[in-house]
Amino acid sequence: MIKVDLHLHTSCSYDSVLPPRRLVELALRNDFDVIAVTDHDTILGALRTRDAAKGRIPVIVGSEVKSTGGDIIGLFLTQEINSREPLDVINEIESQGGIAVLPHPLQGHRNLPKECLGRFSAYEAINGRSGLFSPETASGYGLPWGKLSGATALGGSDTHLANDFGRVWSLMDAEPTEEAVRDALSAGRSQAMGKVGPRRNFLISQGIKAIKTRDVGLMFRGVRRVLAGRLR
């Protein structure tokens, strides 16, 4: 069994200042076997993290793409995803030989076309910022979440800050290699582990985003969402 986190961000995301080298240090210190870097709308952070790892830990290249239907994670990517329509994003991920993952399903996917649900190979049963999800019991957005039942359940920390790391992970029946993780994802050999982190971490990352994007109203909107019980 190996310890894996397939949802991590670095300073290449607009809401994180975590250097790739620091992310590698955290993974090694916390005895992780494989990680995936999924910066917003770019694979640059993953490539830089792989360079920083220097072979000490396998780094899967990924990206969390902001589609018109909500965030979609692509893993095992070789180039940037340019599409923004959900089905096109999934098609583009798969055309690269990648795997499409649905992160935090009940956060931000109000406009996700229902036909997308059967296309995801995996979904986050635990997200370190958004909480628990089960396709058998979920309700919301009027989507047939049961279509995800055959997909693989993952735990993703959604790390943006150093103290996000290690709160949530996936325990996989696999060898500590990228290809073995791919096989485990396809075969459903994964168990979501861990618990949600403090809400203040979301506010901090929203503050980082406000500074990096120069959106002065963003922090106030983030506070309102947290007060309303919404983490995204």
Side-chain angles (χ1 to χ4, degrees), residues 4-5 35 44 67 90 106 124 130 143 166 217:
V4 179
D5 193 344
I35 59 174
L44 182 59
S67 81
I90 294 171
L106 294 178
E124 286 184 336
S130 300
L143 290 172

Side-chain angles (χ1 to χ4, degrees), residues 6 71 118 195 232:
L6 302 178
D71 293 335
K195 59 183 180 179
R232 286 183 182 273

Side-chain angles (χ1 to χ4, degrees), residues 14-224:
Y14 48 65
D15 50 1
S16 173
V17 291
L18 193 60
R21 182 174 61 184
R22 174 66 170 148
L23 187 58
V24 172
E25 292 171 353
L26 289 168
L28 294 173
R29 182 182 304 169
N30 288 276
D31 298 320
F32 275 74
D33 297 291
V34 180
I35 59 174
V37 176
T38 56
D39 281 311
H40 293 293
D41 300 323
T42 183
I43 63 172
L44 182 59
L47 296 175
R48 289 179 175 175
T49 305
R50 177 176 280 179
D51 288 343
K54 300 183 186 301
R56 291 173 291 172
I57 184 172
V59 178
I60 296 168
V61 175
S63 177
E64 185 174 13
V65 180
K66 187 175 181 62
S67 81
T68 59
D71 293 335
I72 296 173
I73 286 179
L75 299 175
F76 305 100
L77 301 180
T78 58
Q79 55 189 324
E80 302 286 10
I81 301 297
N82 297 311
S83 301
R84 289 300 177 263
E85 291 300 318
L87 284 171
D88 293 337
V89 170
I90 294 171
N91 288 335
E92 197 171 338
I93 290 169
E94 292 178 347
S95 73
Q96 297 184 30
I99 290 177
V101 176
L102 182 63
H104 45 77
L106 294 178
Q107 299 293 337
H109 293 99
R110 185 176 303 279
N111 298 315
L112 184 70
K114 61 183 180 181
E115 55 265 35
C116 287
L117 293 179
R119 298 286 303 279
F120 290 106
S121 297
Y123 64 90
E124 286 184 336
I126 308 176
N127 177 281
R129 292 188 166 208
S130 300
L132 308 179
F133 170 84
S134 169
E136 289 78 19
T137 60
S139 62
Y141 304 151
L143 290 172
W145 294 113
K147 288 189 174 182
L148 289 171
S149 295
T152 300
L154 300 175
S157 68
D158 202 354
T159 286
H160 289 70
L161 311 172
N163 69 346
D164 284 327
F165 191 90
R167 294 182 183 274
V168 178
W169 66 94
S170 296
L171 194 63
M172 290 189 171
D173 182 7
E175 295 296 319
T177 68
E178 290 188 46
E179 283 308 307
V181 168
R182 180 196 290 273
D183 291 342
L185 279 169
S186 299
R189 301 194 307 271
S190 173
Q191 182 178 357
M193 308 290 290
K195 59 183 180 179
V196 182
R199 287 187 175 185
R200 66 177 177 271
N201 285 10
F202 170 76
L203 288 177
I204 293 170
S205 62
Q206 288 296 284
I208 293 169
K209 182 177 178 180
I211 293 170
K212 293 178 77 169
T213 63
R214 299 182 181 181
D215 185 346
V216 294
L218 180 61
M219 188 62 177
F220 297 103
R221 295 195 296 273
V223 170
R224 288 200 300 270

